[in-house]
Amino acid sequence: MRIHINGNDLYAEHTRRFTHFFAKKFFTPERNKELSLKINFRPIRESDDIADCMWDNEDSNPPSAYTINFFLPEDTNELWYLRCLAHELTHLKQYALGELRYLISTNNEWVKFCGKRYFFDMYYWDRPWEIEAHGREKGLMVEYKAL
């Protein structure tokens, strides 16, 4: 996976190593070579979101280029940052493997996750794609730190 980091270089080396560890765990070598990721560190914003992950291209299905934006305070510690990175990389995996797709119609915003449709406006903690992302956070950190 090609990685480009904009902004905070404080965790650049851990970001690269953790992302490569993640990519090796979840993607075939062929898919890994196709993927590119931009990671941006942005000023904190008013919303509750501390990070987001989206695809940059729709010319391939599933997409191959992604961006993760972080809106973290400057005093964020390394473990909290890695936990957030693990969460957003799980969403990247969901998009890149075709597990998660947004479906927009004239009347509704839908999400298709693992073949099942959901209304996007469902309660955050009930969203199965978020349950997976939150569930993987700690386990991925423990596995990474053990290397």
Side-chain angles (χ1 to χ4, degrees), residues 2 12 15 21 31 45 54 63 66-67 70 77-78 81 84 98-99 102-103 107 116 120 123-125 127 134 136:
R2 294 175 309 282
T15 299
F21 150 77
R31 184 65 175 141
R45 58 185 182 183
M54 290 303 293
Y66 299 88
T67 297
F70 285 103
N77 71 47
E78 179 185 358
Y81 166 69
C84 294
E99 298 169 345
Y102 286 91
L103 309 167
N107 297 332
K116 187 174 177 185
F120 185 75
Y123 182 59
Y124 178 86
W125 294 103
R127 297 173 182 173
H134 283 282
R136 289 199 181 275

Side-chain angles (χ1 to χ4, degrees), residues 1-2 20 22-35 97:
M1 180 183 305
R2 294 175 309 282
H20 287 300
F22 185 94
K24 186 176 179 182
K25 180 175 181 69
F26 288 103
F27 303 121
T28 65
E30 296 78 22
R31 184 65 175 141
N32 197 7
K33 287 178 189 174
E34 297 169 353
L35 297 173
L97 296 180

Side-chain angles (χ1 to χ4, degrees), residues 14-141:
H14 272 304
T15 299
R16 288 184 197 291
R17 288 196 349 238
F18 188 88
T19 303
H20 287 300
F21 150 77
F22 185 94
K24 186 176 179 182
K25 180 175 181 69
F26 288 103
F27 303 121
T28 65
E30 296 78 22
R31 184 65 175 141
N32 197 7
K33 287 178 189 174
E34 297 169 353
L35 297 173
S36 67
L37 172 62
K38 285 187 290 188
I39 297 178
N40 300 313
F41 292 89
R42 307 265 190 218
I44 296 176
R45 58 185 182 183
E46 296 288 320
S47 78
D48 291 336
D49 296 338
I50 56 173
D52 59 38
C53 175
M54 290 303 293
W55 59 93
D56 293 337
N57 64 335
E58 294 188 30
D59 57 343
S60 61
N61 189 16
S64 58
Y66 299 88
T67 297
I68 295 176
N69 294 300
F70 285 103
F71 309 96
L72 300 171
E74 288 185 23
D75 62 349
T76 299
N77 71 47
E78 179 185 358
L79 291 177
W80 178 247
Y81 166 69
L82 286 177
R83 190 172 187 151
C84 294
L85 180 60
H87 182 102
E88 296 307 324
L89 286 172
T90 299
H91 289 314
L92 185 151
K93 173 201 70 92
Q94 293 166 343
Y95 294 132
L97 296 180
E99 298 169 345
L100 179 61
R101 293 184 52 214
Y102 286 91
L103 309 167
I104 300 172
S105 68
T106 54
N107 297 332
N108 292 307
E109 228 180 299
W110 298 83
V111 174
K112 192 172 187 179
F113 181 68
C114 293
K116 187 174 177 185
R117 284 184 176 210
Y118 300 89
F119 281 113
F120 185 75
D121 63 355
M122 72 188 296
Y123 182 59
Y124 178 86
W125 294 103
D126 288 337
R127 297 173 182 173
W129 56 96
E130 295 295 348
I131 291 169
E132 178 187 6
H134 283 282
R136 289 199 181 275
E137 289 174 10
K138 187 172 183 178
L140 286 166
M141 286 181 18

